[in-house]
Amino acid sequence: MSVIQAVLLGILGGLGIWDSRVMGLCMMERPLFLGPVVGLILGDFQTGIVVGASLELVMMGIVGMLIFIPAGSVIYALFRENVYQRLQRKKIVKKQE
């Protein structure tokens, strides 16, 4: 890897992080975008596409399920419990069994 490639990759990484924080959400931080660009910088565009697409599938499937589903279930359970406690204090509903 040459110094120019390293500098370009550093700039690309900075733009990828800067995307969601400054420029709105352009989705430049996603592997589907960054993989081919990294491949182009390093001189192997085809491998960049394959790696980017593979990482995108992993991020969409496994990471999304592991993070969102348990968090969503916990938030729902806490919110539901809070609502039922308020309704019981106001004597609107009976305690669930």
Side-chain angles (χ1 to χ4, degrees), residues 3-62:
V3 174
I4 294 173
Q5 288 175 327
V7 170
L8 287 174
L9 289 174
I11 291 171
L12 181 65
L15 286 174
I17 291 175
W18 204 31
D19 171 45
S20 62
R21 291 170 178 79
V22 176
M23 298 184 293
L25 191 56
C26 299
M27 302 302 280
M28 286 179 24
E29 63 195 16
R30 302 298 299 184
L32 195 57
F33 174 79
L34 290 177
V37 177
V38 168
L40 189 64
I41 291 171
L42 295 178
D44 194 357
F45 186 67
Q46 187 175 8
T47 303
I49 290 174
V50 171
V51 170
S54 300
L55 288 174
E56 185 70 29
L57 288 173
V58 168
M59 295 297 289
M60 285 182 353
I62 296 171

Side-chain angles (χ1 to χ4, degrees), residues 72-83:
S73 299
V74 169
I75 291 169
Y76 169 75
L78 292 173
F79 182 73
R80 182 175 179 259
E81 185 65 28
N82 188 344
V83 168

